[in-house]
Amino acid sequence: YGGTPASVTKAQRQIGKVAELALGFGGGYKAFESMAKNYGVKVPVSEAKEIVKKWRAARPAVVALWDAVETCAIDAALNPGKKQTCCSGKVYMVLDDMKNLWIHLPAGRFICLPGFRHSYEDGKHGTNSRLQYKRGNWTPKQGARDWPLADTYGGSLVESLAQGIARDLLACAMMELEGWGIVMHVHDEIVCEVEADVAEECLESMVDVMSTPPYGSWARGLPLAAVGEISERFGK
């Protein structure tokens, strides 16, 4: 926190990495502590709380996005059948007659949260909104009737939006690269198998495709970046 990049130590850089991974979708100090354990980072609870406070203070637009998306979901739950928009109109949500919340992504796909409901409960800071939906593994015999309820909130809903949009970006890039010898994809990576004498040219073109927003208005202006490498075998 603070200082020029050259003055940041390895330990500070690791703390910053944990903060970015743990706090982007509304996580608090406990989420930071949980993620920190995975990276071997140890900080006192007081410092973890301060990191969360500073992270959010430095990113007011992100915090506002959590609130806006949660408000949109609440409005959809309270007004069944009526579209509620957020994210500058690029996303809308609607609750159907079966209490399923349909979240329309910018590319045109939907995310469905079945059995979506909104309620109020008393907490130590007053009356709080509670959002829940049924989460489980669908089977023809069981369906969704007996799925347990899971809680969600603004940050978690934003995570679903982010991951859904990321999937659409990857899928669009793969369609652009059709015929390039794609052999697999892993999270945000595309792996192609090409002849050695054209590898450099293919890599340059792949990076260009993956750095360019898909055709159409839904992703216009979206900042994208990509890097790649040439290897005889896949590795992380």
Side-chain angles (χ1 to χ4, degrees), residues 61-90:
V62 175
V63 176
L65 178 62
W66 302 337
D67 292 340
V69 171
E70 182 168 321
T71 297
C72 185
I74 291 173
D75 289 344
L78 296 177
N79 300 278
K82 295 184 179 180
K83 293 181 181 180
Q84 306 295 328
T85 62
C86 59
C87 305
S88 300
K90 291 184 176 292

Side-chain angles (χ1 to χ4, degrees), residues 105-121:
L105 298 174
R109 286 194 309 122
F110 285 91
I111 295 174
C112 180
L113 300 184
F116 193 79
R117 63 188 66 185
H118 170 259
S119 60
Y120 293 101
E121 64 176 15

Side-chain angles (χ1 to χ4, degrees), residues 70 74 77 116-122 127-133 149-153:
E70 182 168 321
I74 291 173
F116 193 79
R117 63 188 66 185
H118 170 259
S119 60
Y120 293 101
E121 64 176 15
D122 292 331
T127 302
N128 303 320
S129 287
R130 187 177 190 184
L131 297 174
Q132 296 175 295
Y133 68 100
L149 285 171
D151 288 297
T152 189
Y153 53 93

Side-chain angles (χ1 to χ4, degrees), residues 11-212:
Q12 289 173 325
R13 200 172 282 117
Q14 198 73 343
I15 290 175
K17 179 177 181 179
V18 170
E20 287 300 312
L21 292 173
L23 307 182
F25 301 119
Y29 77 92
K30 290 185 178 180
F32 179 89
E33 288 183 321
S34 178
M35 182 70 70
K37 288 181 180 179
N38 295 332
Y39 285 87
V41 175
K42 295 182 180 180
V43 297
V45 172
S46 58
E47 184 177 346
K49 291 182 177 180
E50 188 65 19
I51 288 171
V52 173
K53 182 179 179 180
K54 288 183 176 180
W55 192 96
R56 293 182 179 182
R59 297 162 178 81
V62 175
V63 176
L65 178 62
W66 302 337
D67 292 340
V69 171
E70 182 168 321
T71 297
C72 185
I74 291 173
D75 289 344
L78 296 177
N79 300 278
K82 295 184 179 180
K83 293 181 181 180
Q84 306 295 328
T85 62
C86 59
C87 305
S88 300
K90 291 184 176 292
V91 172
Y92 72 77
M93 305 183 194
V94 62
L95 191 75
D96 67 18
D97 294 337
M98 301 297 291
K99 304 299 182 182
N100 300 311
L101 181 70
W102 295 90
I103 304 175
H104 185 266
L105 298 174
R109 286 194 309 122
F110 285 91
I111 295 174
C112 180
L113 300 184
F116 193 79
R117 63 188 66 185
H118 170 259
S119 60
Y120 293 101
E121 64 176 15
D122 292 331
K124 61 181 180 180
H125 300 298
T127 302
N128 303 320
S129 287
R130 187 177 190 184
L131 297 174
Q132 296 175 295
Y133 68 100
K134 291 185 176 182
R135 184 171 65 187
N137 295 316
W138 188 89
T139 63
K141 182 178 180 179
Q142 182 184 22
R145 288 183 304 170
D146 301 322
W147 286 357
L149 285 171
D151 288 297
T152 189
Y153 53 93
S156 181
L157 292 169
V158 169
E159 181 178 17
S160 295
L161 293 176
Q163 297 297 336
I165 292 170
R167 177 269 173 199
D168 291 340
L169 291 170
L170 186 72
C172 288
M174 291 178 68
M175 291 175 67
E176 288 289 322
L177 296 170
E178 185 177 1
W180 282 55
I182 296 177
V183 293
M184 63 183 290
H185 62 89
V186 183
H187 299 301
D188 57 352
E189 300 178 57
I190 299 175
V191 182
C192 292
E193 189 174 56
V194 301
E195 296 295 333
D197 59 343
V198 295
E200 290 285 353
E201 179 182 351
C202 288
L203 176 60
E204 183 177 339
S205 296
M206 285 182 67
V207 169
D208 182 60
V209 167
M210 296 181 71
S211 301
T212 303

